[in-house]
Amino acid sequence: MRPLDWLVMVCALAGVVLYGLYRSRGSNTTSGYLLANKTMPWYAMALSIMATQASAITFISTTGQSYVDGMRFVQFYFGLPVAMILVAAVAVPRFLNSGVYTAYEYLERRFDSKTRTLVSAVFLAQRGLGVGVALSAPSVVLTAILGWPDQWTALIVGIVVIAYTVTGGITAITWADFIQMLIMSIGLIVALTAAIALLPSDVSFGDAVAVAGAASRLNPVVWKFDPSDRYNVWSGLIGGMFLMLAYFGCDQSQVQRYLTGKSISQSRLSLLFNAVVKIPMQFFILFIGAMVFVFFTFEKPPVLFNNVALTRAVQKPEFAQIQGAYDRAFDHRKAAAQDIVNARRSSDAEAETQGVQRFKAAQKELDGARKEAAHLAADGNGTVIDTNYIFLTFVTKYLPAGLVGLLLAAIFGAAMSVSSAEINSLATVSVIDVYKRHWKSNGDDHHYLRASQWATAFWGVYAVITAQFAKNLGSLVEAVNLLGSFFYGGLLGVFALAFFFPRVKGTAAFLGVLGGEVAIFATWKFTSVAFLWYNVVGCVGVVSLGLLFSLFVKEDTKGQA
Amino acid sequence: ERPPFFKTWGRLYTAVIVFLVAVIALFDQFTRSFNR
């Protein structure tokens, strides 16, 4: 980090926060604070929705994933456009016409309070435990690469987030997200341009694509279906669609973005913009990873990008042998890549094919050496994750002054947009679904505005504190995510019952949710299908059981919408 | 309320689906052309 980088980073992030605060002047009612008085245009909501989904780790690890595994990760998003259409057509008009603050409030109007209480409690538990991760994850990576003390990174970013979320509510968050997405887009274009511009002068863009293809990194479509692998067209279209339906249709951290729309059509357009832009954007990010891979074919990378792990590995006596094997494999691979480039110059298809074969063989040796080094560094304690360190190593070591600051601003901005959305939605559910529903239902508007501000401050401080412990609670966080994936499908099922099956009432829906959860636990216990499919099992289970119970349960239907 | 550029919401949704199919076809062509 040079002085110019600091200047660019601080100015960009200050711009994000100050613009958000400037746009949120005068939101002094509960509706203004939590729903922006329903005045948001589609483009602000659209970028806020995208900013909320793209975390710092998405940004860092997606490029790394492409580096080690190719572009097939993009298929995970193939179901997103279909999910966006369903949410826009079905959920948006129902949520907006009913005038609710949270998705779970709608469930009480449609069913009863026990379903709403169960679902909002699950949301608070799941999001509450994960809220610190958005702050801590990028700081762990930056600590390893730049040597910044990680407690301070998470703390400073957290305090900035608390400042504008408590002061400006959702209006500040949405407009800050808007600017953050613009910075991220510029950052992505800069990163791709840099990766291509920094290639050796005799390697053209076409050559770079040929080398990335030789390494099987350019595989955005895999047709072969495998239920235990989520990166193929069918898993993406079906499993991905159910996951995105649950995330955009039932998760308050996303639902609250489009509840702020000034009309149904504005909210719909924001989701449809996401439907069209998301896949090309992910393709672009993954393509950057593939180009960084080509860059490191001609420029020698360390055996492991994770500095902390590499330092541990170097101290072992076996490391010298691994380093030797790695050096040889790198030289072979570089020579093969140069052969591919030369063969393309002389249009010699035969020589190019031979070059590709030698490249693949060298790549296999190189991967083997990296795997052994990672195994050595782990020293029997779990696995070493190297993927998250690749892109940032490239950025901080090779990009010119100023641009490093811009990309770090994009990464911090991504962390801020995710944690601000989570803090804001946790506060909204705490006040609307818990405090106002169960504790004090007769307060005036000013009372609930103050309560919302205090709840936002509480969840913000809570996020900063849990971020300090998040890296030590790795297995706990994983367990929470596992549990969360158990509930996501059930959540989707209960909303499907609410929207499509008017004959199913409160008790049948509640029993359906419990039964659906049992089905998911059974799937986890007795089968080896990928997590992505739990959402499908949960949703189908809840809907079919809810319908079944509605035949047998006598309901008191007073006061139901 | 009608969406911009399209007569009905249904037509806009159809356009998004057509876009998705076109993107997958394009990515498929990309994979076949460059991935080895």
Side-chain angles (χ1 to χ4, degrees):
Chain A
M1 285 289 278
R2 289 147 287 192
L4 183 59
D5 290 319
W6 282 102
L7 183 69
V8 170
M9 186 177 86
V10 171
C11 286
L13 291 176
V16 167
V17 173
L18 292 174
Y19 185 70
L21 287 173
Y22 166 72
R23 292 297 298 248
S24 68
R25 291 156 305 148
S27 64
N28 51 7
T29 60
T30 309
S31 168
Y33 190 75
L34 298 178
L35 294 182
N37 283 324
K38 294 185 177 283
T39 54
M40 282 293 167
W42 69 269
Y43 50 87
M45 288 186 285
L47 291 196
S48 182
I49 284 168
M50 295 184 75
T52 299
Q53 192 179 16
S55 71
I57 285 296
T58 310
F59 194 71
I60 296 167
S61 77
T62 303
T63 40
Q65 181 128 18
S66 175
Y67 182 101
V68 297
D69 185 49
M71 297 179 67
R72 64 198 187 116
F73 177 67
V74 76
Q75 298 169 110
F76 188 61
Y77 295 94
F78 281 179
L80 183 138
V82 186
M84 291 297 94
I85 290 171
L86 285 168
V87 173
V90 178
V92 167
R94 286 172 171 77
F95 284 153
L96 265 70
N97 283 335
S98 64
V100 292
Y101 280 80
T102 74
Y104 318 126
E105 190 181 359
Y106 179 83
L107 287 179
E108 177 162 19
R109 299 189 181 194
R110 174 64 184 76
F111 296 130
D112 53 24
S113 74
K114 60 179 180 288
T115 308
R116 174 187 182 180
T117 305
L118 172 71
V119 169
S120 48
V122 167
F123 172 80
L124 287 173
Q126 185 193 343
R127 279 285 163 208
L129 278 165
V131 70
V133 176
L135 291 175
S136 75
S139 61
V140 170
V141 177
L142 288 164
T143 299
I145 290 178
L146 294 170
W148 293 357
D150 66 348
Q151 268 90 5
W152 286 98
T153 335
L155 183 67
I156 291 170
V157 175
I159 288 171
V160 172
V161 168
I162 292 171
Y164 75 89
T165 48
V166 172
T167 314
I170 196 156
T171 313
I173 293 169
T174 303
W175 288 109
D177 284 354
F178 183 82
I179 301 293
Q180 187 259 315
M181 274 309 286
L182 296 180
I183 291 173
M184 187 160 152
S185 306
I186 296 168
L188 288 172
I189 292 167
V190 163
L192 181 62
T193 310
I196 295 167
L198 289 168
L199 289 170
S201 55
D202 64 333
V203 178
S204 70
F205 176 62
D207 297 334
V209 170
V211 171
S216 301
R217 294 299 189 267
L218 303 182
N219 52 351
V221 167
V222 177
W223 291 102
K224 188 177 178 311
F225 176 67
D226 176 355
S228 62
D229 173 21
R230 56 184 176 173
Y231 304 132
N232 57 65
V233 170
W234 312 109
S235 287
L237 275 174
I238 302 164
M241 180 185 82
F242 275 82
L243 175 67
M244 299 300 170
L245 275 174
Y247 178 52
F248 287 99
C250 319
D251 190 316
Q252 181 64 18
S253 62
Q254 275 295 358
V255 171
Q256 199 159 351
R257 312 296 105 209
Y258 58 80
L259 286 181
T260 60
K262 59 177 154 189
S263 71
I264 286 175
S265 68
Q266 293 289 305
S267 294
R268 280 177 166 170
L269 288 174
S270 69
L271 290 165
L272 295 177
F273 177 84
N274 189 25
V276 171
V277 173
K278 184 74 184 181
I279 295 175
M281 188 177 95
Q282 289 296 328
F283 181 91
F284 194 87
I285 296 176
L286 287 159
F287 191 70
I288 293 172
M291 288 298 110
V292 170
F293 172 86
V294 176
F295 171 80
F296 279 127
T297 301
F298 295 100
E299 172 79 25
K300 192 169 189 175
V303 180
L304 293 175
F305 288 90
N306 180 342
N307 247 331
V308 178
L310 183 61
T311 310
R312 272 205 306 269
V314 168
Q315 291 164 350
K316 304 281 173 63
E318 306 96 305
F319 184 75
Q321 197 183 353
I322 294 173
Q323 178 76 56
Y326 176 82
D327 291 345
R328 281 191 300 280
F330 176 81
D331 291 340
H332 291 162
R333 190 180 69 166
K334 186 176 175 180
Q338 200 59 57
D339 289 348
I340 294 172
V341 172
N342 295 338
R344 282 170 51 83
R345 287 283 168 283
S346 52
S347 303
D348 185 344
E350 180 62 29
E352 191 180 346
T353 305
Q354 287 176 354
V356 168
Q357 282 170 351
R358 267 178 291 135
F359 188 97
K360 282 182 187 297
Q363 180 66 45
K364 212 169 179 174
E365 286 173 39
L366 196 122
D367 286 341
R370 267 170 59 78
K371 203 171 172 179
E372 280 182 44
H375 187 69
L376 203 60
D379 205 12
N381 301 322
T383 51
V384 166
I385 297 172
D386 204 42
T387 318
N388 292 352
Y389 297 81
I390 296 169
F391 181 63
L392 272 179
T393 300
F394 168 72
V395 167
T396 51
K397 279 197 173 168
Y398 297 97
L399 257 56
L403 297 183
V404 178
L406 176 71
L407 277 152
L408 286 181
I411 288 165
F412 279 125
M416 284 159 55
S417 65
V418 173
S419 58
S420 65
E422 290 185 345
I423 289 166
N424 173 256
S425 59
L426 281 164
T428 305
V429 172
S430 305
V431 171
I432 300 293
D433 292 311
V434 179
Y435 179 68
K436 189 177 178 181
R437 175 67 185 75
H438 295 290
W439 264 297
K440 187 176 171 66
S441 55
N442 58 354
D444 60 9
D445 186 73
H446 186 73
H447 177 81
Y448 293 119
L449 171 65
R450 282 277 170 266
S452 302
Q453 289 168 330
W454 278 108
T456 307
F458 166 78
W459 282 111
V461 171
Y462 179 90
V464 169
I465 292 172
T466 51
Q468 303 298 329
F469 302 109
K471 63 171 181 179
N472 302 327
L473 300 175
S475 51
L476 174 68
V477 171
E478 266 177 40
V480 170
N481 282 336
L482 179 73
L483 268 176
S485 64
F486 285 3
F487 284 106
Y488 241 38
L491 190 62
L492 181 60
V494 77
F495 277 95
L497 281 176
F499 293 151
F500 295 114
F501 301 98
R503 61 164 297 152
V504 179
K505 305 294 183 203
T507 302
F510 187 77
L511 293 172
V513 173
L514 298 180
E517 291 308 323
V518 171
I520 294 178
F521 272 96
T523 309
W524 170 65
K525 192 88 183 145
F526 301 114
T527 72
S528 63
V529 299
F531 278 107
L532 201 53
W533 295 95
Y534 290 10
N535 299 312
V536 184
V537 171
C539 180
V540 172
V542 170
V543 169
S544 45
L545 288 169
L547 283 169
L548 186 67
F549 286 127
S550 72
L551 300 174
F552 303 110
V553 178
K554 291 196 88 160
E555 302 262 8
D556 172 13
T557 56
K558 268 187 306 187
Q560 290 179 356
Chain B
E1 246 182 79
R2 274 181 21 188
F5 309 121
F6 290 86
K7 272 193 167 172
T8 63
W9 284 102
R11 288 189 183 189
L12 176 52
Y13 298 150
T14 308
V16 172
I17 294 292
V18 169
F19 177 80
L20 171 66
V21 172
V23 164
I24 294 176
L26 200 64
F27 285 5
D28 182 46
Q29 193 53 51
F30 178 90
T31 305
R32 286 167 201 271
S33 301
F34 301 119
N35 205 49
R36 309 177 65 150

